[in-house]
């Protein structure tokens, strides 16, 4: 069995690739390394890593002409909301056109594929009054990123409805864990807090720190991924990937403080425009197919820090 993981050198992609490899599935990766890193995927042979842009439509087509994939997991994207605001046209090419091309290549060259999974985002909900956010809730995308995720998600569903391609979209909430890149101000906030603790630098809360998110430890995402990959009754569906619990940023900061046993300076600045105050996922649909998140925020952060320590020891 062969899987193609786009964005496989990134944070989530590398964990998904590892899960597939551990289950004896040959993994091919396509990644332009814009935010990903080859160090994340030492377990993938170089010959199966295609350092290419997902918008290189001809190259993608040539891959499908050459290989028959059992699974395609599509994660490559312009992941920064801010960057999509700055570059709406270019981000459209990466986040929509490339997704559509991928689906089309699957339809043309790989119609017997067993599963196509698309990484959507909780960003599609935007500012909603009701909580938790359910896949049946209205959507209200507030950025090009959110519009693009929604469009690709709906194209993904449409290829199931029109062409019977077994597709699924997953709306990721706030995923965190090892290998998440803390460099951008808009990357996962947990990786940023962690980096600030490591470097003993000041952390800035935008707002009063009482905003909430549904933080999901990467192993729980992998659990959900594996469940949908191996379920043939969920094609054409959309799932939330969350824990069903909300945690404030102030609470997250406290957990880091407890684990590091020291604190760092912090400040509160004005809330960022467009920031959503409260968010968490309704995961009942996922629970119905066997999902049961294993990590509370305390356990997830502890695991995350344990992993970081063990890799530091190796260096
Ligand atoms: N991390 C989260 O909390 C979260 C939440 C919602 C949705 N998502 C989605 O999950 C997916 C993976 O996110 P992540 O957190 O692992 O981010 P990441 O930045 O670590 O991974 C994205 C990967 O895609 C690659 N990539 C980017 N543009 C590319 C292009 N044009 N061509 C080829 N490769 C390209 C990057 O180099 C990187 O390896 C993304 O689609 C993201 O939008 C993530």
């Amino acid at each position: 069995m062969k899987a193609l993981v786009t964005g496989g050198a990134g944070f989530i992609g590398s964990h998904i690739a590892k899960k597939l490899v551990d289950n004896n599935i040959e993994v091919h990766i396509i990644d332009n390394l814009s935010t990903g890193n080859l160090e994340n995927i030492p377990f993938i042979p170089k010959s199966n890593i295609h350092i290419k842009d997902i918008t290189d439509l001809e190259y993608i087509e040539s891959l499908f002409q050459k290989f028959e994939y059992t699974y395609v997991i599509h994660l490559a994207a312009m992941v920064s909301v801010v960057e999509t605001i700055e570059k709406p046209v270019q981000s459209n090419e990466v986040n929509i056109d490339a997704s559509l091309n991928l689906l089309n290549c699957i339809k043309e060259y790989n119609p017997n594929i067993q599963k196509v999974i698309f990484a959507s985002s909780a960003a599609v909900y935007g500012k909603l009054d009701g909580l938790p956010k359910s896949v049946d809730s209205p959507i209200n995308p507030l950025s090009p990123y959110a519009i693009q995720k929604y469009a690709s998600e709906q194209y993904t569903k449409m290829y199931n409805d029109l062409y019977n391609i077994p597709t699924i979209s997953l709306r990721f909430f706030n995923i965190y864990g090892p290998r998440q890149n803390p460099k951008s101000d808009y990357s996962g906030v947990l990786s940023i807090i962690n980096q600030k603790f490591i470097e003993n630098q000041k952390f800035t809360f935008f707002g009063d720190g009482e905003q909430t998110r549904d933080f999901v430890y990467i192993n729980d995402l992998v659990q959900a991924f594996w469940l949908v990959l191996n379920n043939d009754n969920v094609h054409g569906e959309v799932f939330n990937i969350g824990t069903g619990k909300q945690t404030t940023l102030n609470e997250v900061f406290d957990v880091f403080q407890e684990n590091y046993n020291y604190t760092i300076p912090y400040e509160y600045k004005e809330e960022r425009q467009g920031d959503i105050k409260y968010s968490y996922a309704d995961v009942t649909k996922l629970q119905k197919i066997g999902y049961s998140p294993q990590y509370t925020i305390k356990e997830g952060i502890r695991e995350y820090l344990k992993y970081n320590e063990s890799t530091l020891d190796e260096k």
Side-chain angles (χ1 to χ4, degrees):
M1 288 201 277
K2 261 194 201 64
L4 177 67
V5 182
T6 78
F11 159 49
I12 296 172
S14 62
H15 288 274
I16 284 185
K18 183 77 171 64
K19 177 76 179 176
L20 292 163
V21 166
D22 287 348
N23 284 277
N24 299 318
I25 295 162
E26 182 182 315
V27 172
H28 287 201
I29 280 175
I30 173 151
D31 200 299
N32 68 356
L33 303 183
S34 53
T35 54
N37 194 323
L38 287 180
E39 283 179 12
N40 289 340
I41 43 169
F43 47 85
I44 305 285
K46 291 271 173 298
S47 55
N48 289 349
I49 302 175
H50 308 268
I51 302 175
K52 287 281 176 187
D53 202 288
I54 192 78
T55 59
D56 186 339
L57 307 187
E58 279 175 22
Y59 189 83
I60 305 287
E61 188 174 15
S62 74
L63 274 184
F64 281 93
Q65 283 169 337
K66 211 150 73 196
F67 302 106
E68 172 96 18
Y69 293 111
T70 322
Y71 308 120
V72 170
I73 321 299
H74 180 34
L75 301 146
M78 192 181 281
V79 292
S80 156
V81 171
V82 174
E83 200 179 353
T84 66
I85 293 170
E86 286 164 357
K87 302 175 191 164
V89 176
Q90 194 188 331
S91 60
N92 226 61
E93 285 169 15
V94 179
N95 291 353
I96 301 182
D97 298 350
S99 306
L100 185 54
N101 178 58
L102 199 59
L103 288 164
N104 221 35
C105 286
I106 293 166
K107 170 177 161 269
E108 292 299 318
Y109 302 106
N110 210 158
N112 295 324
I113 196 155
Q114 286 182 26
K115 210 74 81 196
V116 179
I117 299 182
F118 172 68
S120 185
S121 167
V124 301
Y125 295 114
K127 272 196 174 145
L128 272 188
D129 287 338
L131 279 174
K133 295 174 180 187
S134 148
V135 285
D136 300 321
S137 303
I139 58 129
N140 182 18
L142 298 172
S143 62
Y145 174 80
I147 291 175
Q148 292 155 5
K149 283 293 181 191
Y150 188 66
S152 276
E153 173 193 298
Q154 293 301 304
Y155 270 127
T156 303
K157 177 171 164 32
M158 195 192 83
Y159 269 71
N160 174 75
D161 300 348
L162 288 183
Y163 308 116
N164 223 8
I165 312 269
T167 67
I168 294 147
S169 291
L170 305 177
R171 291 180 181 166
F172 297 161
F173 278 65
N174 292 70
I175 318 299
Y176 68 98
R179 308 202 278 270
Q180 188 163 31
N181 185 343
K183 279 192 195 125
S184 146
D185 275 355
Y186 279 81
S187 97
V189 67
L190 264 82
S191 68
I192 296 173
I193 298 180
N194 186 42
Q195 196 63 22
K196 299 288 184 197
F197 268 89
I198 292 171
E199 293 171 359
N200 218 329
Q201 282 182 0
K202 192 195 278 176
F203 176 70
T204 303
F205 290 92
F206 294 100
D208 58 6
E210 286 302 298
Q211 60 269 55
T212 64
R213 293 292 180 268
D214 190 336
F215 294 105
V216 186
Y217 190 58
I218 185 70
N219 293 13
D220 281 333
L221 177 144
V222 171
Q223 182 205 147
F225 158 73
W226 197 245
L227 281 171
V228 295
L229 189 82
N230 292 296
N231 190 318
D232 286 337
N233 299 316
V234 291
H235 300 154
E237 301 275 342
V238 178
F239 289 90
N240 279 339
I241 305 291
T243 64
K245 300 225 158 48
Q246 54 184 334
T247 308
T248 70
L249 268 194
N250 287 323
E251 285 168 332
V252 167
F253 191 87
D254 287 348
V255 177
F256 274 99
Q257 224 167 238
E258 278 165 29
N259 277 283
Y260 275 101
N261 225 351
Y262 61 82
T263 193
I264 54 168
Y266 56 90
E267 62 181 349
Y268 292 95
K269 277 196 178 164
E270 214 176 296
E271 205 175 293
R272 278 188 307 213
Q273 224 192 346
D275 265 1
I276 293 153
K277 186 81 186 183
Y278 305 113
S279 169
Y280 77 100
D282 178 336
V283 289
T284 44
K285 192 171 165 185
L286 202 57
Q287 283 167 332
K288 282 188 189 140
I289 63 163
Y291 175 69
S292 163
Q294 299 296 303
Y295 295 84
T296 62
I297 189 76
K298 282 193 175 175
E299 286 158 348
I301 291 176
R302 210 179 304 132
E303 275 302 301
Y304 180 24
L305 298 182
K306 233 198 280 173
Y307 177 95
N308 288 349
E309 262 174 40
S310 65
T311 48
L312 276 180
D313 290 346
E314 281 166 19
K315 284 186 181 162

